[in-house]
Amino acid sequence: MELFFQTLLNGLLQSGLYALVASGLALAVGVVGIVNFAHGEFLMIGAFLAWALSTFLGVDPLVSLPFAALAVFGVGALTYRVSIRHVLLAPELNQMLLTFGLGILLQNLALIWLGGNTRTVTTPYQGSSLSLGELSVGGPKAVAFGLAVLILVALYGVLYRTTLGRQMRAVAQNRRGSQLIGIDVDRVYLLAFGLSCALAAVAGVLVATLLFASPTVGLVFALKAFAIIVMAGLGNLTGVLWASVVLGVSEALVQTYVPGGGGWSDAVFFLLIFVTLVYRSYRGAR
Amino acid sequence: MEGRALDGSRAVVRRPDVPLRSLLPLGLFFLLALAFPFLPLGERAEYLMQIAFFTLVAGVLALSWDILARSGQVSLAHAAFYGLGAYGFALLGKVMPWFLAMPAAALLAGLISLVLGAVTMRLSGMYFAIATLAFTEVVRTIIQNLPEGAAGGANGLLVPALLGGNARAQYFLAFGILLLTALVSLAIRRSRLHHAFAAIRQGEETARVLGVSVVKYKLLAFFISSVLAALGGVLYAGKTFFINPLETFSLANSIAPLTTSIFGGLYTTLGPILGATVLRVAEEVLHNAIKNGYLVVYGLVLMLSILWLPRGLMGLLRRGKRGGDV
Amino acid sequence: MTVMAASSQLPAASQRDVVLWAEGLSKRFGGLLAVQNVSFSQYDGEILAVIGPNGAGKTTLLNLLSGVYRPSSGRLHLLGRDVTAEPMEARCHAGLGRAFQIVRPFPEMTVHENVTVGALFGKPGVSLAQARERAYDLLERTGLAAHADKEAHELTLLQDKRLEVARALATGPRVLLLDEVMAGLRPGEAQEAVELVRSVRDSGVSVLFIEHIMPVVRDLADRVVVMDQGQVIAEGTYHEVTANPQVVAAYLGTEEGLHA
Ligand SMILES: Nc1ncnc2c1ncn2[C@@H]1O[C@H](COP(=O)(O)OP(=O)(O)O)[C@@H](O)[C@H]1O
Ligand SMILES: [Mg+2]
């Protein structure tokens, strides 16, 4: 029974990170209408920033977090300006392939520059752990979860309580209508896309403390984020939170209870994406 | 009453479907490719022959991907069928001669593609892309996690060398497979399949209302494309002697044909072949200069093509000309 | 003048063959019953108009007939065969052609190729060469001959509408469904379109058309079915339905009015 609760807890903690990545992606999809296949690469940039700042300047990742967010916001906004903006009216296929190309580009630039090795970030609280009654939690995990929750609360605060947030949600619901009532849609897109990338970067900083930074670290998180927003239903921001918990917990359960879980859990996860998509396509029809 | 023009305009000019002269550049490519091994290649002949071999394979992969894309199915599962061809050949090659193992492996991949095609029938755009990507990963992890005795597991498999490892013979085999792929592509272009694929791609529901049996043609596209991709996989496996899941089913093997076709010119026969030639050589040059990240060309080329070269190299070649996309 | 109730009996009124028989068709979108228990039959060689205010459910009805939607309940018979469960392409093969209200040309094909698709797949066993010839004939017949080699996205709206009709005709239908193909046409153009529909009927095709332009309905329709809020509220000749107080009331609630 204890093992069961420990598993649930681990899954829940993991889901904070997932929700962070997925909310960012949902923002790009929902507001800008772009499925950003390079989302994982923005996460990767965040992870490397945390690693670089910690390794070369000795800055704790938790301190570098806002800087990474800001820097990647800028990269995202720039990306929007020079590329995304030009395909907003193009066929969906072109949009998809453009961000896909961007992802490959960023990943391979990182490979060229930094090589394929994984880089770990050491923090003083690395080995620490918290105990909650019978259960225990790794310190970095708990911190990452706390931060993720904080940032998500802030994000939803912005979306539901500020003018910019209302504009974003208005644009998400009706592009043309928003234009008519005087919303500067291009600006909203720029900010939403930048914010989406910044969220990925924040997740990246956390990933660097929990796992490592590497050029390919983003892909699997991006895919999980995609699975989450498909489960939640495109553009459904609150659904993202629930779907993240479902994914995080079910992964933890597979890893704990399925024999040889490690190797097969990837297959289970991809099968889950596959089945979710196919199931939705049949349920959604007529 | 047939032929009564309401606007009293002149009778329509009836043109042939595909003008033959548009085949000229394609013929030229194959002549050059045929002549290549006989050129004085100097001391680097072995290396150049190898690059040329893999260029032909890249052409097979790209053109077969394009055939599927013509039906509106932009797939990231090409690596899966390439890989299934490679693994099928590695395993079947142990129990039968290569010239049987080759078509058998291709057929196997084709049959599996029918399953994937049937299941993803109603998905489109990014959903289809992600589902096919997920499928590839499922296939890869299954092969990786099967007991080593079955398919080599994560460590990989030894493959019987194709044609006793004779580089020239292997080259001509690859040439033959690319020629076959091109002929299939041209045959499609001149048949009802072309019209079915194009209609489905440009408006699936409208196509159905006009009587196009979408299920049949989508599956047919999947089957043809995967069989050809698997033949490419056989060439790869037979040339490299040794295959492992990570490299064989690598996402790069799905990205390369996609980028190549877009760069060369979608929905054409010459475009993907031309694109493969240019990109494969660029990749090789870069690979010699830097070890890691040489795939950066694919990312860059993909972005630039989408932004500035929507019809690819073929668009440059036939600027201002209309129709006859061969 | 009676409003037809849902019945499972073929109306015995006519000895002529019924080509299309809708039997209590309904379609629900979430909480909205867009089409509600609609029954009617169309006779061979008849031109049948479906009219009604915007949002009455006319396009949805056409989507049920051509198989784009599956009905929530009800049955559909085409040329004496129950096609309720059959997909769009099977209905096309069985003899149902359709032109969409919002034109849907294949944008990257030439005009001729667009029509060739209809001719090639509309009926089984047509060769590509035959289909291409037939497509050229249809382009001449619909006044698009001069535009055969243009790509479809280069056409004007009027030409797009003609293409829509030409492509549907190319499938060789016994029953042709037209959704507001005359909307936005100038009077002269509308007259041409009326001529075209007549010539189509004279070649043995029954036509069911949705139309807002009342003079066109008056000139063309043998019989008129009036829909409002998803239901058939009247059925009869043009003069019968326009004299029906229920129909007048349905139109009064809208800006369009019944005159035009
Ligand atoms: N796919 C759909 N989903 C939800 N509601 C729909 C859909 N299609 C049509 N409707 C609704 O059904 C009603 C009838 O629409 P429609 O058949 O297009 O009317 P008409 O063609 O008579 O103007 C309208 O209220 C419309 O909003
Ligand atoms: Mg309508």
Side-chain angles (χ1 to χ4, degrees), chain C residues 45-102:
Chain C
E46 187 179 37
I47 299 184
L48 183 66
V50 176
I51 66 170
N54 259 326
K58 306 180 297 292
T59 297
T60 305
L61 175 64
L62 236 58
N63 280 332
L64 290 174
L65 299 182
S66 59
V68 172
Y69 297 146
R70 287 287 152 85
S72 310
S73 61
R75 309 216 68 84
L76 179 72
H77 307 261
L78 177 65
L79 301 169
R81 194 169 112 204
D82 187 337
V83 294
T84 315
E86 302 214 338
M88 296 170 245
E89 52 269 35
R91 294 185 196 196
C92 174
H93 296 158
L96 199 66
R98 163 155 195 207
F100 286 94
Q101 175 178 8
I102 298 165

Side-chain angles (χ1 to χ4, degrees), chain B residues 1-7 9-18 189-196 198-215 217 267 311 322-323 325, chain C residues 66 68 87-89 92-93 96 98 100 104 106-109 113 116-118 120-122 126-128 132-133 136-137 140-143 145-146 148-151 154 162 167-168 171 192 195-196 199 203:
Chain B
M1 102 125 267
E2 292 285 328
R4 181 172 59 123
L6 278 170
D7 59 355
S9 70
R10 63 195 156 74
V12 66
V13 183
R14 304 187 178 213
R15 295 180 203 285
D17 194 9
V18 185
R189 177 62 186 85
R190 298 171 73 89
S191 76
R192 56 199 298 124
L193 292 193
H194 166 75
H195 288 81
I200 293 169
R201 180 178 84 240
Q202 295 173 42
E204 185 168 326
E205 194 173 278
T206 315
R208 295 185 67 179
V209 169
L210 293 172
V212 181
S213 306
V214 169
V215 172
Y217 287 107
Y267 321 137
R311 310 192 93 181
R322 193 196 292 284
D325 44 341
Chain C
S66 59
V68 172
M88 296 170 245
E89 52 269 35
C92 174
H93 296 158
L96 199 66
R98 163 155 195 207
F100 286 94
R104 299 176 169 189
F106 300 119
E108 294 164 28
M109 289 186 203
E113 284 170 335
T116 301
V117 170
L120 185 57
F121 299 102
V126 180
S127 79
L128 182 53
R132 288 172 48 81
E133 274 307 301
Y136 277 127
D137 292 341
E140 281 170 354
R141 192 166 151 202
T142 50
D149 290 333
K150 279 192 183 161
E151 285 191 7
E154 296 173 75
R162 285 188 177 164
R167 210 169 52 174
T171 64
E192 277 179 16
E195 291 302 318
L196 178 62
S199 84
S203 67

